[in-house]
Amino acid sequence: MCGIIGYIGHREAYGILIKGLKRLEYRGYDSAGIALSNNDYRVYKCKGKVSDLEEQTKDKDIKGRIGIGHTRWATHGEPTDNNAHPHKSMNGKFVIIHNGIIENYNKLKNSLENEGYQFESETDTEVLANLIEFYYLNNRKNGKSFSPEDAVRAALNMVVGAYGLVILCEDYPDQMIAARKGSPLVIGIGKSEYFIASDATPIVEFTDSVIYLNDDDIAVLDDNGLSLRNLKNIAQTPDIHKIKLEVSEIEKNGFDHYMLKEIYEQPRAIRDTYRGRLNFNSKFLRLGGLHNVFQQLTEANRIIIIACGTSWHSGIVGEYLFEEFTRISTEVEYASEFRYRNPVINKGDIVIAISQSGETADTLAAIQLAKKAGAIVIGICNVVGSSIARETVAGVFTHAGPEIGVASTKAFTTQITVLTMMAMSIGLANKKLAKDEFTVLIDELYAIPEKIEKILTKSEKIKKIAIEISNATNSLYLGRGYLFPVALEGALKLKEISYIHAEGYPAAEMKHGPIALIDEKMPVIVLATEDKSYEKIVSNIQEVKARKGVIIAIVTEGDTTIKQMADYVIEVPKTDFALAPLLTVIPLQLLSYYIAVERGCNVDQPRNLAKSVTVE
Ligand code: G6P
C-alpha cells in the first residue's frame, strides 16, 4: 500500500527512482511522483501510473544524485495530481513521501491553520510536511541550532498513526531522513550510496546488504554515512542483514502477467516450501522455526488463526487440518474483527498469524494484542524481514518468492503447505495422527507439485471455458469440507481481477439463499472431487442443473458421474482429501485469470486494490 523509494549517492537518481517505482507499483498505482535534489529540489507528480510520470518528466530537468519517489494507493483524498506525493511544506523547506495514515491529522491541521498554514491537498501527508516545517522554522528563530532531524523527531512525537517516511530538507541538500512506525522501510547499503524502499524489490539489483528499520527509528543519511536514533533521540545499532533475492525473481520472465507467472511457479514454490523440512525417504518432518514453541504447540488447548484476505482463506484450510490431525480446537478470525472485539485470549493460547507480505496492518495489530494477553504468537509469512516475521516469537517462512501480482496465488498454496506440515508434525507428536497416516500424507505432499504441473497443462481448455463464461455478471462457487475455503478463494480471485460479482459458499448452504439467484446466465463453479461428501455434492449439482445454472465442475480424474451433468468439467489428479485444496485451487486461479484477460482487465493491478495493506 503505497511504494516508497529513495536514493542518495554518486549516481543519477532519476533512473533508479523510476525503475524502483515500477517494481513497487504493485503496492499502489493511482498516482506517482518524484523529487530530485541538486542544491535545489524539483518535484514532479501526477495522477496515474509511473509511465505517466515518466512521460511528464521527459523534457524536464531530472538531474540530481539524491531523490525520492512514491507510488500511491489513496487513503485521504482522491487520486489527483495535487494529492500525489511528494508533498512540499508551505514554505518549501521540506518535501516528503509517506506510506501509512496520520490518524490525528485533522487536529494537527487545525493547529497549523491557526499558525497561518495553508494546504494545497487533502492529504494527511501534507499536514505532516507542514508540521515538520513548523517545528523547524520556529526552533531556528534567533539563530538557535535545530536540525531537520530534530524537527522530524518533534513532529513525529505529536503524531498518532502509522508512517514510513522519507524526507528532504532544502537547507540540507546532501541529506535524506527516513522514519518508520507501522509501515515498512528497508535501507539498502551500497558503496558510498544508500537506497530506501518499502520493500527490497527495487534494491536487490544494487546491493544485498539491508537494514530493516524498526518502529520509532529515525535514520539520517548523508556524506558521513548512516546515523540511526529513535523518537526519544537514543542511538540505535543498525542490524545489517543479507537478502537472498534474485532480480529474475521479480521480473515477468516472458509471461504476459505476474499473476500467470506466479500461478505457474507454484510447483517450484511448494517444493521450496517443504525442501529441507520434509525428508521423503526417511519420512521425517521438522519445522526448525517452531523449535522453541513446539512443546507448547503439542500441549495447546486452543489455536487461533488470524489473517486477512487470501491468507484468511488458507487459515480456514488450516483450521480443518489442525482439528483433523491434532484434535486441537482451532478458530479462524479476520484480524480486523479479532482486534476490535475484545476477544478471549488465554495465557498459553497459540495464535498463528498468516500473512504473505508480513505487513498487513490489521494482522500486525492483532498480533500485538494477542502478545499482550499472553498468547504465543507464531507467524507464517512469505517476506523475510517483514514486520510480522519480526514481531512473532516463532514461525515458518513460505519460500514462495516475491509475489507481485495483486491477486494472491502462490502465497495461498505455500501457506497451505506450511499449515499441512504444521498439523502433521503436531499431530504426530501429540499422537492424534497415526504414523501410517502421517507417512501416506508425506508421500501425497511430495507428489503435489507434479500433480499441479499436470493441471497446468490443461490451461488451454480452461481458457476456452473462461472465454465462454466471461460475459457473466454473477457467479457462485460451491465446495464442502476442505473445498469450502477453496470456493471462497476462487470467488475472491474472480471478483478481484475481473470485477464479476462472485460468492463462495458451503455447497449445502446454497439452498438457504443463493439458489434464488440461479438462472441460465449464472455460472456455478462446483468443487466436486471425490471425498466423503461426493454424493452430496452430486445432489447439489443436480439442484443447480434443475434451475438451468451453468455448471463448471472441478472433478477427480476419471470421474464419469459428474461429466454427464456438468456443462464443463476440469479434471485434477487424485490426492488425499486434506490436500485437495492445493490442486483444486489451480483451475480456479487460471479461470479467473483468463476471464479477466478476456474482459480486458488489468490483471496485475486491479482497480482499487493494493498488494500490501499497511493501513487499517
Ligand atoms: C490484500 C491483498 C490480498 C491479500 C491480503 C492479505 O488485500 O490484495 O492478496 O490476501 O491483502 O495480505 P497478507 O500480505 O497479509 O497476506
Side-chain angles (χ1 to χ4, degrees):
M1 188 152 282
C2 295
I4 281 184
I5 173 93
Y7 175 76
I8 176 166
H10 45 84
R11 313 178 205 220
E12 283 299 318
Y14 177 81
I16 295 170
L17 299 183
I18 293 290
K19 200 166 177 196
L21 287 179
K22 286 187 177 163
R23 293 225 193 275
L24 290 168
E25 204 165 22
Y26 72 97
R27 299 178 69 93
Y29 32 82
D30 59 41
S31 52
I34 52 170
L36 293 157
S37 165
N38 196 14
N39 290 322
D40 60 339
Y41 57 63
R42 281 139 291 132
V43 174
Y44 306 112
K45 56 185 187 174
C46 64
K47 179 181 169 185
K49 302 268 171 162
V50 179
S51 52
D52 297 312
L53 175 70
E54 229 178 339
E55 192 57 37
Q56 199 206 71
T57 47
K58 242 181 184 170
D59 312 316
K60 301 278 174 22
D61 175 7
I62 50 166
K63 286 221 160 319
R65 293 177 196 278
I66 299 182
I68 56 179
H70 188 269
T71 173
R72 177 169 186 249
W73 186 89
T75 57
H76 291 64
E78 276 179 49
T80 59
D81 291 356
N82 252 0
N83 288 337
H85 297 215
H87 286 282
K88 270 188 188 182
S89 57
M90 191 177 80
N91 299 297
K93 286 286 174 209
F94 289 88
V95 60
I96 79 173
I97 50 175
H98 168 217
N99 173 20
I101 290 185
I102 307 301
E103 289 170 14
N104 58 340
Y105 87 107
N106 245 329
K107 199 171 144 211
L108 296 170
K109 190 172 183 177
N110 290 340
S111 331
L112 286 165
E113 276 168 345
N114 291 338
E115 298 290 340
Y117 268 90
Q118 287 168 1
F119 295 82
E120 284 180 3
S121 77
E122 300 147 88
T123 63
D124 50 345
T125 307
E126 193 189 2
V127 175
L128 192 50
N130 282 332
L131 189 67
I132 296 169
E133 185 185 85
F134 170 76
Y135 280 111
Y136 180 74
L137 292 179
N138 258 22
N139 282 289
R140 285 168 75 100
K141 275 182 192 159
N142 314 321
K144 248 176 77 185
S145 121
F146 198 76
S147 69
E149 182 191 355
D150 294 331
V152 168
R153 183 169 292 108
L156 293 183
N157 274 309
M158 299 301 291
V159 156
V160 178
Y163 50 79
L165 284 172
V166 189
I167 303 151
L168 301 178
C169 177
E170 192 186 38
D171 298 340
Y172 292 75
D174 299 326
Q175 188 182 78
M176 183 179 278
I177 301 176
R180 172 205 158 128
K181 181 181 241 154
S183 302
L185 274 186
V186 187
I187 298 182
I189 306 164
K191 281 200 183 110
S192 320
E193 60 182 348
Y194 293 101
F195 306 82
I196 301 182
S198 306
D199 63 48
T201 50
I203 295 178
V204 282
E205 60 192 277
F206 301 106
T207 176
D208 62 355
S209 299
V210 299
I211 298 168
Y212 298 102
L213 287 192
N214 289 317
D215 277 353
D216 295 349
D217 276 353
I218 300 178
V220 179
L221 306 163
D222 57 23
D223 292 344
N224 300 323
L226 164 80
S227 122
L228 195 62
R229 306 182 78 82
N230 67 8
L231 274 184
K232 292 186 179 142
N233 206 5
I234 300 168
Q236 306 294 300
T237 314
D239 196 1
I240 301 174
H241 297 256
K242 288 277 172 205
I243 37 170
K244 295 185 202 112
L245 188 62
E246 299 294 327
V247 176
S248 61
E249 291 181 64
I250 49 175
E251 294 192 329
K252 282 193 218 153
N253 289 344
F255 284 90
D256 288 343
H257 296 97
Y258 281 111
M259 182 181 177
L260 191 62
K261 176 192 169 218
E262 288 159 9
I263 290 173
Y264 273 81
E265 275 178 341
Q266 290 176 104
R268 193 273 310 146
I270 292 173
R271 284 189 185 106
D272 282 354
T273 302
Y274 63 53
R275 180 171 297 128
R277 293 163 169 167
L278 269 183
N279 185 323
F280 295 96
N281 296 323
S282 61
K283 310 292 179 222
F284 178 77
L285 166 56
R286 186 172 179 276
L287 297 168
L290 298 182
H291 178 67
N292 58 342
V293 294
F294 196 69
Q295 182 73 20
Q296 288 102 313
L297 268 168
T298 57
E299 289 165 2
N301 290 320
R302 183 174 174 233
I303 294 175
I304 307 166
I305 297 177
I306 49 175
C308 301
T310 288
S311 300
W312 184 78
H313 295 158
S314 62
I316 305 178
V317 178
E319 175 187 16
Y320 290 21
L321 290 163
F322 282 121
E323 295 208 332
E324 181 162 345
F325 298 155
T326 73
R327 307 303 300 148
I328 301 171
S329 159
T330 306
E331 295 157 38
V332 189
E333 302 261 7
Y334 283 118
S336 55
E337 288 299 312
F338 180 78
R339 59 179 290 207
Y340 287 120
R341 66 161 179 75
N342 196 10
V344 176
I345 310 167
N346 301 313
K347 207 163 190 294
D349 277 351
I350 303 286
V351 170
I352 302 176
I354 308 177
S355 174
Q356 185 284 127
S357 62
E359 299 295 348
T360 302
D362 281 321
T363 310
L364 195 52
I367 289 173
Q368 282 150 357
L369 180 90
K371 273 170 78 173
K372 246 191 209 152
I376 297 164
V377 187
I378 295 169
I380 299 179
C381 290
N382 191 35
V383 179
V384 178
S386 60
S387 305
I388 292 175
R390 290 184 296 139
E391 193 73 25
T392 42
V393 292
V396 186
F397 284 110
T398 47
H399 299 318
E403 193 181 63
I404 311 272
V406 167
S408 184
T409 52
K410 58 179 179 170
F412 181 71
T413 44
T414 50
Q415 286 164 353
I416 293 175
T417 305
V418 167
L419 288 161
T420 308
M421 291 192 291
M422 278 178 80
M424 284 168 65
S425 57
I426 300 166
L428 189 70
N430 74 3
K431 303 204 167 39
K432 297 292 191 270
L433 179 67
K435 180 77 190 172
D436 52 345
E437 277 180 70
F438 176 87
T439 307
V440 169
L441 281 166
I442 286 202
D443 291 340
E444 286 292 341
L445 195 53
Y446 182 71
I448 288 289
E450 207 172 307
K451 291 181 181 175
I452 294 179
E453 276 154 8
K454 200 166 173 200
I455 301 170
L456 292 171
T457 62
K458 298 182 203 288
S459 68
E460 273 308 308
K461 178 180 179 183
I462 297 172
K463 187 174 175 180
K464 282 194 187 124
I465 302 172
I467 293 169
E468 295 276 324
I469 61 167
S470 61
N471 286 325
T473 47
N474 285 297
S475 61
L476 191 59
Y477 285 70
L478 301 175
R480 284 172 177 263
Y482 281 104
L483 301 185
F484 159 55
V486 179
L488 295 178
E489 176 60 8
L492 177 66
K493 287 294 83 88
L494 189 68
K495 63 188 143 196
E496 276 181 319
I497 59 169
S498 74
Y499 319 136
I500 296 174
H501 173 242
E503 278 195 60
Y505 246 80
E509 279 290 304
M510 175 185 69
K511 50 189 171 296
H512 299 294
I515 199 164
L517 299 170
I518 296 173
D519 62 17
E520 66 282 0
K521 293 194 208 105
M522 173 90 148
V524 181
I525 294 92
V526 190
L527 294 148
T529 49
E530 279 164 19
D531 70 4
K532 50 192 172 205
S533 53
Y534 179 75
E535 297 303 329
K536 306 265 183 256
I537 204 104
V538 169
S539 309
N540 296 136
I541 291 177
Q542 274 162 342
E543 287 155 14
V544 175
K545 232 22 255 167
R547 280 135 192 111
K548 301 195 167 50
V550 182
I551 306 265
I552 297 135
I554 315 299
V555 300
T556 308
E557 263 171 14
D559 184 302
T560 48
T561 315
I562 295 177
K563 242 182 209 157
Q564 289 163 18
M565 302 172 201
D567 298 87
Y568 307 97
V569 157
I570 304 167
E571 291 187 333
V572 297
K574 195 170 172 48
T575 185
D576 191 275
F577 303 155
L579 302 183
L582 292 168
L583 300 185
T584 49
V585 76
I586 310 293
L588 304 192
Q589 295 168 344
L590 286 169
L591 196 65
S592 304
Y593 171 78
Y594 288 121
I595 291 174
V597 170
E598 181 64 17
R599 288 165 70 95
C601 300
N602 186 338
V603 172
D604 283 334
Q605 296 175 351
R607 69 183 181 211
N608 304 337
L609 296 178
K611 182 73 188 155
S612 170
V613 181
T614 51
V615 296
E616 295 166 14

